[in-house]
Amino acid sequence: MIKIENLTKSYGDLVAVKDISFTVSPGEVLGFLGPNGAGKSTTMKMIAGFLSPTEGQISVCGHNVESDSMAARQVIGYLPEGAPAYGEMTTSAFLRFIGELRGMDPARLDARITEVVRQLNLSKVLEQPIDTLSKGFKRRVGLAQAILHDPQVLILDEPTDGLDPNQKQEVRSLIQGMAKDKIIIISTHILEEVHAVCNRAIIISGGQLLADATPDALEARSRYHQAVTLVSPAAEQIAGTLKGVSDVSKVEVEGHQVTAFPKAGKQIFAQISTLITQHAWSVSEVQLERGRLDEVFRTITMQGGRS
Amino acid sequence: MSIVNTLVRRELSSYFATPVAYVFIVIFLVLAAAFTFQLGYFFERGQADLKPFFDFHPWMYLFLIPAVSMRLWAEERHTGSIELLLTLPVTLWQAVIGKFLAAWLFIGLALFLTFPIWITVNYLGDPDNGVIFASYIGSWLMGGGFLAIGSCVSAATRSQVVAFIISICLCFVMLLAGHRLVLDFVSAGLPQWLVDAIASISFITHFESISKGVVDFRDLLFFGLLIGVFLYATTVVIEMKKAD
């Protein structure tokens, strides 16, 4: 359990994180979203114990991050932004070094190194200096380091940044595989990732917590939620008819694409599909929108920026 | 203790993983020999001691030790690995001491490798080996003082070049604090006790008294305190500049 109360971090006059409170329970994969400079990394650095909060409390598995810092660090695995490492070390020497600093006994360390090397496919680069590795391998070495001691809490700052689509997929399934009984906090600005791995999302902008919900609930805030999009050469004509449907609040046309937005709480898909058959429109595509996370993100963070 | 040990081993092996360590040691030995034989007239003096060898140590350290200390923290900050290191279950003190000790041992190794000159002087004459041993200890302690200053400067910047230059300047002031050049300059307006205080922080004064073979507790205390104070300052600077 991570408990964050009234967390504030300021640098002189600049307030980077402003009075944020939330708790995370085991089994939750929390996605931290926000524009660059929103305070995501600062918050994660404070949870990991790198920066001290100006005000407020953080407790990780019952250990206060400031007063009981060493115990808190033992239960946390942390991947800092950019996955820094000691470049002149080989992968295996680096992992061994991290394990020794974590006080792991030699037998367990050996077993865990074998395990994480298998999980992250690092066997090929085990004896190579980290400086000579590709970006994807460097990132995976950083992840290996974070999960080496099998921590209860994982804090990953942009874990898939710089990976190719296959590697992204591997890292995501790795995170999902570990998610069952752990607390995982990841920051990202890739919104599809939130859907892929997170079961909860927090949006931060300007240092303030603006939204805290499941990815589905966030999507439901989109104006596209339950909207219906059709693609047809007769877009204008269809739009005219759809405007007459009682539950439709608004219709937008963009080229051959027509989007009908429902009135609050109404479902319009069934009515529209009946209309399509009735009028025998030639429609090449019909889609019920779940909601667009990027649009919700923009709306929330722009409002936050203005206030 | 085992944490400091792990840190020291990692640091030392990283020196030798790149050519830096070998380049440093070779330059150190070549310079030491050049100074001793060319500028120190080791043979011409006809005396069985290592005075011409040790006399140049402060000046060699002035440039060579900042070259070792500049990377201590500036590199960690530059690559971001400081964030990794200081979120592991390692206290700031353990990290600062571990890095310092590794660098100090490295300087010790370079110093140790000058042993042929000790053998030479014993072959040629009959020197006072107690004095030479004390000089080696004094030299290593002085190296530690330079290194602690460099560690503190290195913590304040992410640029190794800046750390190098500022360390040289600071060490230069510390070296010459007891020299007429500095004392004449400050003695004009300052009370005598302050002039004495400035004179007493001079590295050369303390090093020379040790290398005369007089191992005075006050000289050891001086270097011990100096190292302690600057390592403490290192922790303060790191804490202050973490967010940058």
Side-chain angles (χ1 to χ4, degrees):
Chain A
M1 178 101 147
I2 295 182
K3 204 166 171 188
I4 291 171
E5 291 168 279
N6 308 105
L7 188 66
T8 298
K9 179 75 187 174
S10 46
Y11 305 107
D13 287 339
L14 182 85
V15 183
V17 174
K18 210 190 261 172
D19 198 23
I20 286 181
S21 302
F22 61 89
T23 59
V24 197
S25 313
E28 283 191 302
V29 181
L30 174 63
F32 250 39
L33 308 175
N36 291 330
K40 288 174 293 183
S41 284
T42 306
T43 306
M44 295 180 114
K45 282 176 188 175
M46 285 192 280
I47 302 173
F50 183 65
L51 295 177
S52 323
T54 312
E55 270 169 63
Q57 302 288 326
I58 303 172
S59 98
V60 177
C61 300
H63 308 290
N64 185 294
V65 167
E66 282 196 282
S67 60
D68 193 7
S69 172
M70 291 303 132
R73 290 172 188 203
Q74 282 291 11
V75 296
I76 297 177
Y78 178 44
L79 173 72
E81 193 175 355
Y86 292 106
E88 74 284 350
M89 295 180 99
T90 62
T91 305
S92 80
F94 177 67
L95 292 178
R96 196 158 291 279
F97 167 69
I98 298 286
E100 281 172 14
L101 284 188
R102 290 205 173 272
M104 296 166 74
D105 67 76
R108 172 148 184 265
L109 182 53
D110 283 339
R112 283 298 300 167
I113 288 180
T114 315
E115 174 67 13
V116 299
V117 164
R118 189 191 57 77
Q119 277 177 310
L120 289 153
N121 276 325
L122 290 172
S123 52
K124 262 190 293 178
V125 299
L126 216 44
E127 298 310 323
Q128 276 186 40
I130 297 171
D131 264 346
T132 65
L133 302 182
S134 68
K135 206 172 173 186
F137 268 120
K138 276 185 189 160
R139 189 59 46 120
R140 281 190 270 168
V141 170
L143 270 166
Q145 161 278 125
I147 63 173
L148 184 64
H149 57 304
D150 195 19
Q152 287 160 271
V153 175
L154 259 182
I155 298 170
L156 310 172
D157 203 345
E158 301 192 352
T160 59
D161 188 42
L163 299 185
D164 68 35
N166 294 337
Q167 295 166 335
K168 273 185 186 156
Q169 190 48 49
E170 279 168 33
V171 168
R172 284 175 197 161
S173 41
L174 180 77
I175 293 174
Q176 279 165 333
M178 292 186 301
K180 212 164 24 143
D181 47 358
K182 287 190 201 307
I183 296 174
I184 302 178
I185 300 182
I186 67 169
S187 79
T188 179
H189 44 241
I190 307 165
L191 293 167
E192 48 170 304
E193 197 151 286
V194 177
H195 248 304
V197 292
C198 303
N199 49 32
R200 181 176 165 195
I202 280 183
I203 297 182
I204 297 183
S205 180
Q208 283 172 301
L209 197 153
L210 298 178
D212 180 354
T214 63
D216 289 338
L218 277 182
E219 279 180 348
R221 293 195 195 181
S222 165
R223 67 191 190 102
Y224 285 96
H225 183 57
Q226 297 293 340
V228 177
T229 300
L230 313 175
V231 178
S232 165
E236 291 293 344
Q237 180 206 339
I238 293 176
T241 318
L242 290 183
K243 272 178 194 153
V245 178
S246 60
D247 285 344
V248 169
S249 67
K250 195 176 169 208
V251 179
E252 280 178 10
V253 183
E254 216 186 305
H256 285 178
Q257 189 171 307
V258 188
T259 307
F261 298 92
K263 287 181 176 157
K266 304 284 188 194
Q267 308 270 341
I268 52 173
F269 187 78
Q271 297 177 43
I272 291 178
S273 67
T274 324
L275 283 174
I276 294 172
T277 1
Q278 272 178 8
H279 294 267
W281 289 328
S282 78
V283 173
S284 59
E285 213 176 282
V286 186
Q287 194 191 353
L288 174 63
E289 302 256 4
R290 299 163 50 94
R292 295 182 187 174
L293 213 46
D294 56 346
E295 184 242 334
V296 176
F297 178 81
R298 242 191 336 269
T299 316
I300 292 178
T301 54
M302 296 302 260
Q303 280 167 355
R306 246 180 267 133
S307 65
Chain B
M1 204 56 224
S2 79
I3 290 209
V4 173
N5 191 7
T6 306
L7 285 170
V8 169
R9 273 190 291 121
R10 193 211 79 77
E11 286 284 315
L12 274 179
S13 67
S14 94
Y15 289 153
F16 290 95
T18 57
V20 175
Y22 304 99
V23 169
F24 178 88
I25 288 177
V26 167
I27 290 181
F28 182 86
L29 295 178
V30 167
L31 272 184
F35 281 142
T36 309
F37 295 108
Q38 298 298 319
L39 295 175
Y41 301 109
F42 178 72
F43 291 124
E44 292 84 342
R45 296 168 73 235
Q47 289 187 32
D49 63 20
L50 285 181
K51 194 168 180 305
F53 169 66
F54 286 111
D55 275 355
F56 289 103
H57 279 200
W59 304 102
M60 261 164 57
Y61 286 169
L62 178 59
F63 293 96
L64 290 181
I65 291 203
V68 174
S69 66
M70 66 181 187
R71 55 170 292 284
L72 281 180
W73 290 99
E75 191 182 36
E76 293 263 352
R77 283 162 51 86
H78 182 72
T79 61
S81 55
I82 188 170
E83 205 177 321
L84 182 70
L85 180 63
L86 296 182
T87 51
L88 289 166
V90 173
T91 64
L92 189 49
W93 265 109
Q94 287 170 329
V96 167
I97 289 177
K99 279 177 161 284
F100 170 79
L101 273 183
W104 205 18
L105 286 174
F106 176 65
I107 301 290
L109 173 71
L111 198 56
F112 172 78
L113 291 176
T114 62
F115 69 88
I117 202 160
W118 193 352
I119 296 173
T120 307
V121 79
N122 268 289
Y123 176 76
L124 293 173
D126 184 21
D128 184 340
N129 282 318
V131 170
I132 293 176
F133 182 72
S135 302
Y136 266 110
I137 297 293
S139 176
W140 191 52
L141 277 171
M142 182 172 60
F146 278 114
L147 209 52
I149 294 173
S151 156
C152 181
V153 173
S154 174
T157 172
R158 58 177 61 222
S159 156
Q160 298 194 30
V161 176
V162 171
F164 178 67
I165 291 168
I166 294 182
S167 299
I168 290 181
C169 295
L170 256 181
C171 291
F172 188 63
V173 171
M174 296 297 278
L175 256 189
L176 282 189
H179 195 274
R180 273 209 347 269
L181 208 80
V182 175
L183 289 183
D184 287 351
F185 180 71
V186 294
S187 62
L190 294 176
Q192 189 57 39
W193 65 267
L194 199 59
V195 176
D196 289 345
I198 292 173
S200 71
I201 60 167
S202 165
F203 274 33
I204 291 192
T205 319
H206 290 279
F207 173 59
E208 277 178 350
S209 92
I210 296 179
S211 59
K212 279 183 197 123
V214 193
V215 182
D216 188 331
F217 177 68
R218 280 172 304 180
D219 295 322
L220 300 184
L221 187 71
F222 169 76
F223 284 118
L225 270 179
L226 185 93
I227 291 171
V229 165
F230 274 97
L231 289 188
Y232 175 71
T234 308
T235 64
V236 172
V237 171
I238 291 173
E239 199 62 57
M240 263 169 43
K241 310 230 17 162
K242 259 183 186 177
D244 296 11

